[in-house]
Amino acid sequence: MNHHSSPDDEQPLREYFCNLYERFWQRIYRYCLSHLRDEELAKEVTQEIFFALWERRHSLAIRGQEENYLIRAAKYKVFDHYRQQAHEAPHETATETAYAENLTENQVYFNALVSKINELVLFLPGQCRKVYELSRENGLSNKEIASSLQISTKAVEYHITRALRHLRAHLPEYSEHFSNRT
């Protein structure tokens, strides 16, 4: 958005925003869906990201790649969602208190898992790491990854399988969470 605009600049901003939305909304939605596992919530979070972007259109300066900025925004929104769930004031019933405690425990567990995965991903070979990050963190399909890296979809599948095998080997207590989704 890198614009400080006057009312005369509103049309170029609107066109820029529409183009940004059209290019990236599906990727952001897929990223949110993969972490939230709820279609309606993922749609809502995706819309919130783009709405906030539009609201700050006159003061926002995106440095670097737009897609990376949007993925980071999605990560923060997903974490915010889990944090809000963990911190919502529970009612005084025992069931709700147990639910809140379980939610907080799950959030701590989730944060530890994400941290450990990020650490393990750093040890993947270069191309394997790129493929894993494009798939799991950026939400790209195998075909999009293959096109982006100029490799075959079979090579993409190989690298994802290799990365997941590496993670399973180093995180046996979490292995049922690593599906071979392609």
Side-chain angles (χ1 to χ4, degrees):
M1 300 219 167
N2 284 336
H3 303 287
H4 293 288
S5 63
S6 66
D8 295 338
D9 292 335
E10 195 68 24
Q11 185 60 32
L13 273 174
R14 184 172 287 124
E15 289 173 8
Y16 173 81
F17 179 80
C18 288
N19 179 282
L20 194 68
Y21 182 82
E22 287 298 317
R23 286 180 17 226
F24 297 115
W25 78 267
Q26 284 183 322
R27 288 183 188 157
I28 301 307
Y29 168 73
R30 284 194 312 255
Y31 176 86
C32 291
L33 181 61
S34 73
H35 291 283
L36 298 170
R37 302 201 187 285
D38 179 317
E39 288 182 14
E40 288 305 312
L41 182 58
K43 286 178 188 175
E44 184 179 315
V45 169
T46 301
Q47 291 301 340
E48 286 175 11
I49 291 166
F50 282 101
F51 181 75
L53 204 61
W54 177 252
E55 287 291 303
R56 295 179 295 143
R57 68 188 174 277
H58 296 293
S59 61
L60 184 65
I62 297 176
R63 290 175 180 76
Q65 293 185 350
E66 297 154 333
E67 181 178 13
N68 291 342
Y69 177 88
L70 292 168
I71 290 292
R72 270 194 318 275
K75 283 181 182 181
Y76 290 129
K77 278 289 194 185
V78 168
F79 283 124
D80 279 346
H81 168 76
Y82 284 116
R83 188 176 25 211
Q84 283 176 347
Q85 278 188 331
H87 294 299
E88 286 178 352
H91 296 288
E92 295 301 316
T93 67
T95 303
E96 289 170 340
T97 302
Y99 173 76
E101 288 170 0
N102 189 33
L103 196 56
T104 301
E105 182 180 321
N106 285 342
Q107 184 61 41
V108 169
Y109 184 78
F110 175 78
N111 289 341
L113 175 60
V114 168
S115 178
K116 183 68 175 170
I117 289 172
N118 289 338
E119 183 181 309
L120 289 170
V121 166
L122 293 175
F123 290 101
L124 292 171
Q127 187 79 328
C128 187
R129 182 174 58 239
K130 283 181 198 172
V131 169
Y132 176 85
E133 288 171 346
L134 289 172
S135 172
R136 296 311 198 255
E137 293 179 14
N138 294 357
L140 298 182
S141 69
N142 288 3
K143 188 181 276 187
E144 289 170 322
I145 296 168
S147 175
S148 171
L149 298 178
Q150 298 180 339
I151 60 176
S152 70
T153 54
K154 286 289 187 195
V156 171
E157 292 169 8
Y158 166 78
H159 287 299
I160 290 173
T161 301
R162 184 175 179 191
L164 293 176
R165 192 174 296 133
H166 172 76
L167 293 175
R168 276 189 207 105
H170 292 88
L171 297 167
E173 66 274 21
Y174 303 105
S175 65
E176 72 273 6
H177 299 290
F178 297 108
S179 66
N180 248 343
R181 72 169 173 83
T182 54

